[in-house]
Amino acid sequence: MAKIAVIGGTGLDALEGLEIERRESISTPYGEPSAPLAYGQLAGVELLFLARHGEGHRIPPHQVNYRANICALQQVGASHIIAIAAVGGIRQGLMPGQLIIPDQLIGYTWGRAHTFFEEGSHPLVHIDFTEPYCEALRVMLLRAAEMAKLAIIPQGTYGATQGPRLESKAEIDRLERDGCDIVGMTAMPEAALARELDICYATCAIVANPAAGRAGGPLLMNEIVATLKLGMKNVRRLLEVAVGIL
Ligand code: HPA
């Protein structure tokens, strides 16, 4: 049976509607995950929840211990990870609040511990990452959106930047030339680490703002947070339906 974990991002540090039954502090060979794992029921289905940025949103994207997070989820038997991610919209027409399930990924991050395969620790493996997201889980999320009557964009390329600052206009122009539709700060190395441990991983991204230079003015954090607050109710609805059909 699928054991589903949700990694909540900016705007989803706690999963409203999740009836938490217990919390478990886990330690891993890579250190502590961002927060204790929360076990609970969402719409009657058992679920695990992990706040990527820690309780109270303390940990910036470049300092998240991605290895400990993914390793902890593997240790407790998670078979599927639904990652929630706030993103900036690069592709024209992507409006704040829009949900999108990316199917491709480009990593621009640096200096993050990004693999479990280090000298001496494991046999050396070069994972296949042609399709960085788990297609079965992506399809399931799209079906859930249809069932919940939520508008959703079924594919797109996520550009993962280093943060914590937002990008310059020229950086976004470059990402657009590279083919990125959305930009966020956490998909790498998270997605690759999940693949290394053979956990089915997909992202539900929510557009928090037009990316730099796409809205004609500076990006204001309070506006981004307000958009996420509104949009998260759709993410919750999607998750409620999704966990029921997995
Ligand atoms: N850039 C990078 N990450 C983000 C953005 C952005 O514009 N908005 C939300 N997360």
Side-chain angles (χ1 to χ4, degrees), residues 10 61 85-90 158-159 161 163-167 172 175 182-186 206-212 219 221 224 228:
T10 305
V87 296
I90 300 175
Y158 179 129
T161 55
R165 66 166 176 83
L166 297 164
E167 299 72 33
I172 293 298
L175 264 62
I182 52 178
V183 56
M185 300 175 190
T186 55
I206 172 164
V207 177
N209 55 280
L219 297 175
M221 206 52 211
I224 292 178
L228 286 176

